[in-house]
């Protein structure tokens, strides 16, 4: 099933599987979200929960019991319920179940709230701990922005002048190796060589927004003030780039396996909720 919301400027469509955004079109019917061609990457904008990235050996421990979680968790592959819908807003819910409890022993509700405001789509993540113990979790976004022109005609423009230090992945885990992404006047031209070693992972950034430029003109802007970390990624020769606001990231080889001790993990007290928002603006 899918749900579509709209306003006078934009139309957005969401698949109930994973509550995954798969389309943002303007009123000229131009598409801004990657089509999901599986020859490159078969997704569009999955939600990453209850982990971001990869666990060491795909396992973790809670109270000495071992659990398995796939890369980026399970929410992106589960059916969400549409619980509220207006013309420009849709609210989706995923609740813990017997199935999730075998992988993640916590009672939760995850709400994804999509709202169109003028030329922006806001995505709100609301995590609710319905259990009796502290709940460790990470959450993140993975939107793929379609780049219909030649890839090298695009560039990133960071919000601030800063030292753009990113971490390299080794076997899907965060290594200790870092590089500096070279920017000139906050601008980084795109080329596939940037991504030859997989995603660029920024644990922290001063910038809280990133604009894609198309032939030096603003194209799409992602604002992520609630998210301290960011991933940037594409596949070789693919006509898209992912701008991924994260709260959390992959394990390192030194990780203990205790989810409460995982670097970047959040913990939520019982009967409490956590909210983070980001937005995609068409320019």
């Amino acid at each position: 099933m899918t749900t579509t919301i709209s306003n006078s400027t934009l139309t957005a469509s969401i698949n109930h599987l994973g509550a995954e955004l798969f389309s943002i079109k303007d009123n000229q019917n131009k598409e801004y979200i990657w089509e999901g061609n599986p020859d490159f990457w078969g997704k569009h904008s999955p939600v990453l929960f209850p982990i971001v990235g990869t666990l060491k050996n795909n396992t973790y421990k809670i109270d000495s019991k071992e659990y398995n979680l796939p890369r980026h968790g399970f929410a992106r592959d589960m059916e969400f319920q549409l619980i509220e819908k207006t013309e420009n807003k849709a609210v989706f819910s995923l609740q813990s179940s017997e199935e999730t409890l075998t992988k993640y022993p916590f009672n939760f509700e995850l709400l994804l709230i999509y709202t169109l405001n003028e030329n922006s789509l806001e995505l709100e993540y609301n995590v609710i701990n319905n259990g009796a113990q502290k709940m460790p979790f990470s959450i993140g976004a993975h939107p793929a922005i379609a780049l219909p022109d030649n890839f090298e005609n695009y560039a990133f423009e960071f919000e601030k002048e800063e030292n753009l230090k990113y971490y390299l992945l080794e076997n899907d885990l965060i290594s200790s190796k870092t590089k500096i992404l070279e920017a000139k006047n906050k601008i980084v031209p795109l080329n596939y060589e940037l991504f030859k070693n997989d995603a660029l992972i920024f644990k922290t950034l001063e910038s809280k927004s990133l604009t894609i430029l198309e032939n030096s003109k603003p194209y799409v802007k992602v604002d992520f003030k609630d998210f301290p970390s960011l991933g940037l990624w594409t596949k070789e020769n693919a006509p898209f780039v992912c701008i991924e606001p994260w709260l959390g990231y992959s394990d390192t080889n030194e990780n203990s396996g205790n989810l409460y001790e995982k670097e970047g993990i959040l913990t939520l007290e019982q009967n409490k909720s956590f909210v983070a928002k980001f937005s995609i603006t068409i320019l």
Side-chain angles (χ1 to χ4, degrees):
M1 287 184 65
T2 63
T3 290
T4 296
I5 57 176
S6 62
N7 63 9
S8 61
T9 306
L10 299 176
T11 299
S13 297
I14 303 107
N15 194 325
H16 293 206
L17 181 65
E20 183 179 8
L21 174 73
F22 68 90
S23 176
I24 300 176
K25 291 181 178 180
D26 63 18
N27 50 21
Q28 303 299 310
N29 209 37
K30 181 175 180 178
E31 178 63 73
Y32 289 86
I33 296 296
W34 162 241
E35 66 182 31
N37 181 344
D39 289 345
F40 292 106
W41 185 56
K43 293 188 179 290
H44 312 269
S45 180
V47 57
L48 317 180
F49 176 87
I51 58 166
V52 171
T54 303
L55 296 172
K56 185 179 177 182
N57 301 318
N58 292 312
T59 63
Y60 70 96
K61 292 179 182 178
I62 297 289
D63 299 330
S64 299
K65 185 175 180 180
E66 191 169 272
Y67 297 87
N68 291 86
L69 270 180
R71 180 174 174 81
H72 293 323
F74 51 71
R76 62 182 180 164
D77 297 315
M78 300 195 74
E79 195 77 17
F80 282 64
Q81 300 300 312
L82 178 66
I83 61 171
E84 183 185 336
K85 166 75 166 66
T86 63
E87 184 178 5
N88 72 322
K89 179 181 178 180
V91 182
F92 296 87
S93 170
L94 177 68
Q95 297 193 38
S96 51
S97 62
E98 288 185 12
E99 179 184 358
T100 68
L101 288 169
T102 64
K103 309 170 189 174
Y104 181 66
F106 300 94
N107 290 301
F108 69 87
E109 182 175 16
L110 172 60
L111 298 174
L112 265 63
I113 304 167
Y114 291 87
T115 308
L116 285 171
N117 296 303
E118 298 180 342
N119 61 329
S120 292
L121 175 65
E122 180 186 85
L123 291 83
E124 176 180 324
Y125 297 152
N126 190 339
V127 182
I128 303 165
N129 181 3
N130 291 321
Q133 60 178 319
K134 289 183 180 180
M135 187 176 87
F137 74 97
S138 287
I139 193 161
H142 204 307
I145 307 301
L147 304 180
D149 206 344
N150 185 304
F151 192 76
E152 295 190 357
N153 289 344
Y154 296 90
F156 290 136
E157 183 177 23
F158 286 80
E159 178 191 19
K160 296 182 178 179
E161 294 268 11
E162 59 180 301
N163 184 32
L164 296 170
K165 183 176 79 170
Y166 65 93
Y167 288 77
L168 301 182
L169 288 169
E170 289 185 350
N171 300 316
D172 293 330
L173 302 183
I174 299 274
S175 75
S176 59
K177 297 176 183 175
T178 63
K179 286 189 174 182
I180 301 298
L181 186 61
E182 297 295 339
K184 185 176 181 180
N185 298 323
K186 304 183 290 187
I187 293 175
V188 178
L190 292 193
N191 62 78
Y192 291 112
E193 186 72 12
L194 286 174
F195 305 96
K196 67 177 181 179
N197 294 317
D198 207 343
L200 314 184
I201 297 177
F202 302 87
K203 290 184 180 180
T204 58
L205 277 176
E206 291 180 33
S207 294
K208 292 300 177 186
S209 69
L210 184 61
T211 300
I212 299 174
L213 305 179
E214 182 182 64
N215 296 308
S216 302
K217 297 179 181 178
Y219 175 62
V220 172
K221 181 182 180 184
V222 179
D223 289 277
F224 48 92
K225 64 181 177 62
D226 293 340
F227 295 80
S229 304
L230 189 74
L232 299 173
W233 176 77
T234 191
K235 300 275 280 189
E236 187 171 1
N237 298 321
F240 70 83
V241 69
C242 293
I243 299 176
E244 306 174 41
W246 291 346
L247 285 146
Y249 36 78
S250 291
D251 274 354
T252 67
N253 268 316
E254 289 71 41
N255 193 274
S256 70
N258 182 334
L259 196 59
Y260 288 103
E261 297 174 352
K262 177 177 167 59
E263 185 178 323
I265 203 77
L266 302 174
T267 55
L268 191 57
E269 299 286 342
Q270 64 184 95
N271 301 317
K272 297 293 185 181
S273 63
F274 173 88
V275 173
K277 304 176 184 180
F278 78 100
S279 64
I280 300 171
T281 301
I282 308 305
L283 301 170

